[in-house]
Amino acid sequence: MAATDDTSPDDSRPTRPGDGARMPRWLPRAVVVTLALFACFQLGVWAFHQLLGLLVDILIAFFLALAVEPAVDRMAARGMRRGAATGLVFLGITLVFTAFFAMLGSMLAGQIQNIVENFPAYLDAVIGWLNRTFHARLSRVEIQSSLLHSDWLQKYLRNSAGGVLDVSATVLGGLFQLLSVALFSFYFAADGPRLRRALCSVLPPHRQTEVLRAWELAVAKTGGYIYSRALMALVSGIAHYVLFVVLGVPYAPALAIWVGLVSQFIPTIGTYLAGALPMLLAFTVDPWYALWVLAFVVVYQQFENYVLQPRITARTVDIHPAVAFGSVIAGTALLGAVGALVAIPATATLQAFLGAYVKRYELVEGAAAAAGGGSRRPGGPGDVGRPPALVRLFRALRRR
């Protein structure tokens, strides 16, 4: 009986390298999909960088609309149309800032004119001091002639003439950006309820509640931040106006408005920027007056930080000073000056929103003593275990 051969004719053929390896059918499709996703990612990154300026403008407009929405809501509740109420609020803001910059511009123009008119006297005084101190023989006529015929001055004038076009383009770009922010913020404030309905209509019911809650918190915190800062700017302006009038510093009203607005609406360094200009003008009256202004700015800043600000912002933007400082630094690192302006209201909104979901407990006596609060009754004024009234209201609405 012949032995059976289990090998097939195909198996008996010698195999060549790579003859049995066949490309999977899914590999070309996977390569195409990967390349398409990478191309979409690169396109998205390019579009994001191209639209970054527009996104920043929309962010500024959104927070500005949140700030003016409480005032618009009050006017709309009294029967005024929402568009007209929004226009009236923006008209008031425009008039206030126009008056402020007009006063500041007249002040700067007057000071520049005085400096130009008195420049020869200043130059003679400096030359006289140099001649007396270093036994030199300098002359104002020779110095002026050497300056007018110097190569660096002519080069500077040529560069300045060439840079006029760049400055004009920058100014026009800034005006266009300002108009864009104003237009977006007007629509956000005027169509706030419609915008919320359109956003909630694409979300499930439980998500709609969360979005409305976050929106209301953002309106409350942003509006409270702006109004508390405006009140502190008013108090600061009045206090510094009294000082400038007593010292006889010129342009006291404009300087008081400058100090009030800059010190309150520019975080962290606003106080020092606000105090530099009145110190300079006070120095022109009497050098000792500049020291008086500096001392008053420092003392008032401490009074504002430890007495005035906690009382005013306790019911509007109740966040720890360290958290506020850290949020300003983080916002500046992310978005520059815009991030510094919106950092505090955004942090306060996030803190209040998260507070509605964080369960709090009453402190035991040991923990309360370690925290420095001692033993307190539940619900007392120092009870850290009791959530704020707004958070308790949100929790009650969520349980329902």
Side-chain angles (χ1 to χ4, degrees):
M1 182 175 181
T4 58
D5 190 4
D6 294 337
T7 60
S8 62
D10 294 336
D11 293 338
S12 63
R13 290 182 305 176
T15 60
R16 288 175 297 180
D19 191 30
R22 181 176 296 178
M23 180 184 298
R25 295 181 178 179
W26 55 266
L27 185 58
R29 183 181 300 176
V31 172
V32 172
V33 171
T34 303
L35 293 178
L37 290 177
F38 181 75
C40 291
F41 174 76
Q42 292 294 330
L43 180 62
V45 172
W46 174 81
F48 176 78
H49 285 291
Q50 295 296 322
L51 298 176
L52 183 60
L54 177 62
L55 296 177
V56 172
D57 292 344
I58 292 176
L59 179 63
I60 299 174
F62 179 70
F63 274 93
L64 181 59
L66 292 179
V68 303
E69 190 165 347
V72 175
D73 289 338
R74 293 190 185 96
M75 294 183 182
R78 296 181 180 179
M80 184 178 295
R81 296 183 59 182
R82 194 171 183 88
T86 306
L88 186 61
V89 172
F90 274 87
L91 179 61
I93 295 175
T94 303
L95 292 178
V96 169
F97 276 96
T98 301
F100 168 69
F101 283 111
M103 294 177 63
L104 187 63
S106 63
M107 178 187 67
L108 293 178
Q111 289 301 116
I112 292 174
Q113 183 179 359
N114 292 334
I115 291 175
V116 171
E117 292 177 354
N118 298 325
F119 181 77
Y122 293 151
L123 187 59
D124 289 337
V126 172
I127 292 174
W129 179 80
L130 291 175
N131 291 334
R132 291 190 305 269
T133 304
F134 300 100
H135 304 286
R137 296 181 178 179
L138 300 176
S139 173
R140 178 163 61 88
V141 178
E142 296 178 357
I143 293 177
Q144 290 178 348
S145 177
S146 62
L147 288 176
L148 292 176
H149 295 87
S150 61
D151 295 336
W152 68 268
L153 180 60
Q154 296 177 3
K155 183 178 179 180
Y156 175 77
L157 291 176
R158 288 195 298 268
N159 294 334
S160 300
V164 171
L165 183 61
D166 296 335
V167 173
S168 301
T170 303
V171 171
L172 292 177
L175 291 176
F176 179 76
Q177 184 178 9
L178 181 61
L179 292 176
S180 301
V181 170
L183 184 63
F184 278 119
S185 59
F186 177 83
Y187 283 125
F188 286 155
D191 294 337
R194 187 183 306 174
L195 182 61
R196 286 192 289 269
R197 288 194 299 268
L199 182 61
C200 292
S201 63
V202 297
L203 298 174
H206 63 283
R207 296 298 180 187
Q208 295 179 12
T209 305
E210 305 302 329
V211 169
L212 291 177
R213 182 180 304 173
W215 194 294
E216 294 299 330
L217 280 174
V219 170
K221 294 300 179 180
T222 306
Y225 172 75
I226 296 297
Y227 296 143
S228 61
R229 288 292 175 178
L231 182 58
M232 288 191 293
L234 178 62
V235 176
S236 177
I238 293 175
H240 287 86
Y241 173 75
V242 173
L243 173 69
F244 299 151
V245 170
V246 170
L247 296 179
V249 179
Y251 304 102
L255 287 178
I257 298 175
W258 164 266
V259 172
L261 292 179
V262 174
S263 63
Q264 300 303 322
F265 290 99
I266 297 182
T268 309
I269 63 173
T271 301
Y272 309 103
L273 292 178
L277 184 59
M279 285 177 57
L280 179 62
L281 294 182
F283 185 84
T284 60
V285 178
D286 191 337
W288 288 103
Y289 287 175
L291 294 179
W292 280 107
V293 172
L294 176 61
F296 183 83
V297 168
V298 173
V299 172
Y300 180 82
Q301 184 65 27
Q302 304 307 314
F303 167 76
E304 180 182 283
N305 290 338
Y306 294 101
V307 179
L308 187 62
Q309 183 173 350
R311 295 178 180 273
I312 293 179
T313 62
R315 298 182 180 275
T316 55
V317 189
D318 190 12
I319 60 176
H320 195 274
V323 177
F325 182 71
S327 65
V328 169
I329 294 178
T332 304
L334 292 175
L335 295 175
V338 176
L341 290 175
V342 303
I344 294 180
T347 303
T349 302
L350 181 62
Q351 175 179 305
F353 185 72
L354 294 179
Y357 298 95
V358 176
K359 187 176 181 180
R360 297 177 181 268
Y361 302 93
E362 297 181 3
L363 293 180
V364 297
E365 293 185 1
S375 178
R376 297 185 176 94
R377 295 180 304 168
D383 183 23
V384 297
R386 185 180 182 184
L390 184 60
V391 175
R392 296 199 305 273
L393 176 61
F394 284 152
R395 287 181 181 175
L397 292 176
R398 186 178 59 181
R399 286 194 297 267
R400 291 182 181 178

